[in-house]
């Protein structure tokens, strides 16, 4: 705020008007943050319930279809297949909405400075193995192999949950945008971790679509998605923004190396 002096002269009145404008802007920003926080909170519970119910329905339908061989012979196989496909589509959309609301909730907490840091000492190599195991099934669905290169046994003092979120987001991003490269039989992702002079380096590299030079400066902006990516893969454009925020909260850095049609490499450096 600007010092208003006695508030009676022309400069004082101008300062008073300026301060009131700042108050209104501050109130608008606060309302926006509260809306995002409240909206994402309201979304989370019903989406979780819907997802649970749909998963249960899908499992029951699979059991029912397996047991009712007579129904299949009576021409109901097509109906069962239609129901199964519908449930799978619904579950996919629910998973997407769940991720979006969770990302919104994280963004709201970051903006309102309500994201506490819980530092602890842990093995970064063990966390990377855990993350790769968590992403194994999504990778197998797209017939992608995750290759762990160098993974030195190093300890780090950091917020374990946030570092895990960083690694999972980068691997998920690599899986999402990896396509079959020409002349290769396998789609691959490469993960690496090692200690450098005063930092721990973590890299995730894919053999996917790549990012154009024009898009590179904007990929960490919230909700940013290039037209090419938007037409090929679903997403909300928040994952990399959250990754960057979490890295900066640890006084770290992230770099990107990418070539169109060849792939992308994200390099994260965290204080050792």
């Amino acid at each position: 705020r600007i010092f208003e002096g006695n508030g009676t002269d022309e400069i004082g009145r101008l300062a008073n008007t300026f301060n009131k404008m700042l108050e209104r802007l501050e109130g608008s920003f606060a309302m926006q943050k509260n809306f995002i926080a409240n909206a994402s909170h309201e979304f989370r519970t019903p989406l979780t319930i819907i997802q649970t119910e749909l998963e249960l329905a899908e499992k029951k339908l699979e059991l029912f279809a397996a047991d009712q061989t007579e129904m299949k012979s009576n021409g109901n196989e097509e109906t069962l297949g239609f129901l199964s496909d519908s449930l799978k589509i619904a579950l996919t959309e629910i998973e997407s909405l769940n991720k979006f609301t969770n990302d919104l909730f994280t963004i709201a907490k970051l903006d309102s400075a309500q994201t506490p840091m819980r530092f602890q000492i842990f093995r970064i190599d063990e966390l990377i193995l855990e993350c790769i195991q968590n992403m194994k099934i999504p990778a197998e669905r797209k017939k992608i192999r995750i290759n762990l290169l160098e993974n030195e046994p190093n300890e780090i003092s950091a917020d374990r949950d946030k570092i895990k979120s960083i690694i999972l987001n980068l691997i998920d991003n690599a899986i999402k945008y990896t396509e079959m490269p020409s002349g290769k039989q396998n789609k691959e992702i490469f993960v690496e971790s090692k200690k450098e002079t005063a930092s721990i380096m973590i890299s995730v590299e894919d053999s996917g679509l790549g990012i154009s030079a024009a898009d590179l400066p904007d990929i960490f902006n919230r909700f940013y998605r290039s037209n090419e990516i938007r037409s090929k893969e679903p997403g909300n454009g928040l994952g990399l923004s959250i990754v960057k925020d979490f890295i900066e909260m640890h006084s770290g850095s992230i770099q990107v190396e990418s070539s169109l049609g060849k792939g992308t490499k994200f390099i994260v450096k965290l204080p050792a």
Side-chain angles (χ1 to χ4, degrees):
R1 300 293 187 272
I2 295 175
F3 178 63
E4 299 178 12
N6 57 22
T8 57
D9 58 12
E10 187 175 344
I11 294 177
R13 290 194 297 272
L14 178 62
N16 179 264
T17 302
F18 188 78
N19 287 339
K20 287 181 178 178
M21 180 189 71
L22 290 177
E23 286 177 8
R24 290 195 298 271
L25 286 172
E26 187 177 43
S28 296
F29 285 131
M31 287 177 62
Q32 183 185 42
K33 291 175 185 176
N34 287 335
F35 169 76
I36 293 174
N38 292 333
S40 58
H41 179 73
E42 291 299 321
F43 270 131
R44 292 172 84 188
T45 301
L47 283 174
T48 302
I49 293 170
I50 293 169
Q51 182 174 3
T52 303
E53 291 296 326
L54 284 173
E55 286 173 349
L56 181 61
E58 184 183 35
K59 288 178 181 176
K60 290 203 172 203
L61 182 62
E62 288 175 354
L63 290 172
F64 180 73
D67 291 339
Q68 301 297 318
T69 53
E70 184 180 348
M71 286 187 65
K72 293 182 181 181
S73 63
N74 290 335
N76 290 312
E77 187 173 359
E78 184 178 346
T79 302
L80 290 171
F82 175 79
L83 288 171
S84 179
D85 289 343
S86 295
L87 285 171
K88 286 175 182 175
I89 291 169
L91 280 169
T92 300
E93 293 302 315
I94 289 295
E95 286 174 7
S96 177
L97 279 171
N98 257 327
K99 187 178 188 309
F100 180 56
T101 52
N102 286 330
D103 286 347
L104 274 180
F105 195 63
T106 301
I107 290 290
K109 288 194 294 183
L110 285 168
D111 284 348
S112 58
Q114 293 180 357
T115 309
M117 296 287 283
R118 298 183 177 86
F119 281 87
Q120 59 180 297
I121 296 174
F122 60 92
R123 289 265 300 273
I124 189 70
D125 56 303
E126 293 178 351
L127 179 60
I128 288 173
L129 287 170
E130 180 183 325
C131 291
I132 290 175
Q133 185 63 32
N134 289 346
M135 300 305 296
K136 188 176 179 181
I137 292 177
E140 288 177 347
R141 284 178 188 155
K142 291 188 69 175
K143 298 181 180 178
I144 295 172
R145 185 170 62 204
I146 303 177
N147 299 301
L148 180 59
L149 303 179
E150 192 171 1
N151 190 30
E152 297 176 352
N154 289 306
E155 287 188 338
I156 187 173
S157 176
D159 187 313
R160 192 179 189 277
D161 289 339
K162 290 180 177 58
I163 300 300
K164 183 176 181 179
S165 178
I166 290 168
I167 298 168
L168 287 175
N169 262 296
L170 291 178
I171 296 176
D172 179 64
N173 204 63
I175 292 171
K176 190 181 293 182
Y177 299 117
T178 291
E179 289 186 336
M180 182 70 76
S182 59
K184 289 187 178 181
Q185 293 184 347
N186 297 312
K187 295 180 283 187
E188 296 180 301
I189 292 170
F190 302 94
V191 181
E192 184 177 13
S193 167
K194 61 183 178 181
K195 188 170 184 178
E196 297 186 338
T197 306
S199 63
I200 299 292
M201 188 280 293
I202 304 166
S203 69
V204 178
E205 182 177 7
D206 64 60
S207 54
L209 301 172
I211 304 168
S212 70
D215 289 324
L216 271 176
D218 298 314
I219 61 172
F220 294 108
N221 295 340
R222 292 177 183 177
F223 298 105
Y224 181 81
R225 303 186 77 225
S226 69
N227 291 330
E228 182 183 3
I229 294 299
R230 194 183 298 274
S231 64
K232 290 185 177 181
E233 285 289 340
N236 54 48
L238 290 175
L240 288 178
S241 170
I242 293 171
V243 163
K244 189 171 186 288
D245 285 339
F246 282 173
I247 290 171
E248 290 178 348
M249 289 172 73
H250 286 85
S251 301
S253 65
I254 182 167
Q255 297 174 310
V256 190
E257 299 173 358
S258 187
S259 299
L260 276 177
K262 294 184 179 179
T264 303
K265 183 177 184 180
F266 287 91
I267 303 166
V268 176
K269 292 187 179 180
L270 300 166

